[in-house]
Amino acid sequence: MAACVDKWPPAAYLCRLPEKFYCVLPDCTATDRPVVTASAAPAPAPAASGSSGDYVWDVLRAEAQDDADDEPLLRKFYHDLVLSRPSLESALASLLATKLCIPGALPQDQLRDLLAGALAAHPEAGRAARADLVAARDRDPACAKMVHCFLYYKGFLALQAHRAAHALWSDNRRAPALLLQSRASEVFGVDIHPGARIGCGILLDHATGVVIGETAVVGYDVSILHGVTLGGTGKESGDRHPKVGDGVLIGAGASVLGNVHIGDGAKIGAGAVVLRDVADGTTAVGNPAKPIIGKKAAPLRRPEELPGVTMEQRWSD
């Protein structure tokens, strides 16, 4: 697979350097793809006066300020959850804590500290969150502003809860990781095992009913609609869940079962039940899913033309 300097994930175009500028780089937790180094990446334009140099956070804060100015009712809400926060990670920990806390049993302040600590220990989670926000803005025609995705889109919030849970799971803190999984499932209706490895630039569109198993792997720039299952086939143990390549689009209600591989740029039709590997660039539909008859696998395309980015669900390949 090409090095990242040759094949930037579309959600990562704005993110060319690590650390301060947060030009989102893949964290290589999902695949063994090489990562371009800071010295190899092109330098960004100088930050504007008053900017933090973190493009996604700066845009999100500006959008929040615009909404707060337009709607006085929202001023305190936006101030408490976005405008008063020093970073995207801080805002994300605070927001998830307000959603996932249990009054009298799981205090909001302690949960916020748990989330903030997990994100601080695993900066790749923050980089991935930025790519997820850009992906939602660019792919979802209903998403006019990144701040709306950040505050209101449960698919995004469930995915970020998973990223924090995965950070804890990776640090062998299994109990709090499972706690976050359970609360996210209850609150958002999305059940992602903390062991699952998920890349950057992911869109969970609508998201209700999405289930992703423990040994599943999801690549970069993947779009998954509501009701999708990436699950096992029974009671087998070990590596038993799907491996989804880059730029894949999985339609609503599809089930991908077992340790099967979905190739880069593939499309899985709505309601399909996938039990076998799907080749790169192939459209698979039906129960059991099969490649569309008479259709050749699509040639390898530029990253921005892959189905997971274009959200094109017709049989156009």
Side-chain angles (χ1 to χ4, degrees), residues 17 20-23 43-56 58:
L17 293 174
K20 188 67 172 177
F21 196 72
Y22 281 110
C23 296
S49 177
S51 167
S52 70
D54 178 347
Y55 170 82
V56 172
D58 287 342

Side-chain angles (χ1 to χ4, degrees), residues 70-311:
D70 291 342
E71 297 289 345
L73 176 66
L74 298 178
R75 285 176 184 167
K76 186 177 189 306
F77 178 71
Y78 276 84
H79 177 269
D80 291 349
L81 293 177
V82 177
L83 297 173
S84 65
R85 302 295 166 182
S87 67
L88 180 67
E89 287 80 0
S90 172
L92 190 56
S94 179
L95 176 58
L96 288 174
T98 65
K99 298 283 189 180
L100 303 180
C101 68
I102 304 174
L106 185 60
Q108 180 176 330
D109 289 349
Q110 293 180 26
L111 183 56
R112 183 191 63 229
D113 291 346
L114 174 71
L115 290 160
L119 295 175
H122 291 264
E124 69 275 8
R127 293 194 289 270
R130 288 166 171 81
D132 298 339
L133 284 165
V134 173
R137 183 197 63 185
D138 290 349
R139 295 178 212 164
D140 185 350
C143 183
K145 297 180 178 181
M146 283 191 286
V147 72
H148 295 165
C149 174
F150 178 82
L151 290 172
Y152 307 131
Y153 285 28
K154 66 180 181 179
F156 170 79
L157 293 172
L159 182 56
Q160 306 322 310
H162 163 73
R163 296 198 188 283
H166 182 71
L168 294 168
W169 187 266
S170 300
D171 291 340
N172 204 32
R173 300 182 65 187
R174 301 297 173 89
L178 292 169
L179 169 67
L180 291 180
Q181 176 198 4
S182 175
R183 289 298 296 147
S185 178
E186 292 169 2
V187 172
F188 303 126
V190 177
D191 192 358
I192 308 176
H193 192 282
R197 293 180 290 157
I198 299 180
C200 303
I202 306 301
L203 175 62
L204 300 185
D205 196 7
H206 298 288
T208 301
V210 168
V211 177
I212 301 177
E214 177 183 7
T215 60
V217 176
V218 177
Y220 302 114
D221 293 307
V222 172
S223 293
I224 298 174
L225 278 77
H226 51 283
V228 166
T229 297
L230 304 181
T233 57
K235 295 177 66 177
E236 72 274 18
S237 59
D239 193 358
R240 61 196 183 278
H241 295 108
K243 310 298 180 283
V244 178
D246 298 342
V248 171
L249 173 62
I250 306 180
S255 295
V256 186
L257 304 177
N259 188 10
V260 298
H261 180 260
I262 308 301
D264 293 351
K267 296 182 192 178
I268 307 301
V273 178
V274 180
L275 302 174
R276 296 182 179 179
D277 291 354
V278 176
D280 292 0
T282 299
T283 298
V285 299
N287 180 7
K290 298 179 181 179
I292 294 178
I293 297 175
K295 290 286 187 181
K296 295 182 179 180
L300 291 177
R301 291 170 280 195
R302 292 173 57 83
E304 65 270 22
E305 297 172 342
L306 292 172
V309 176
T310 66
M311 301 291 287

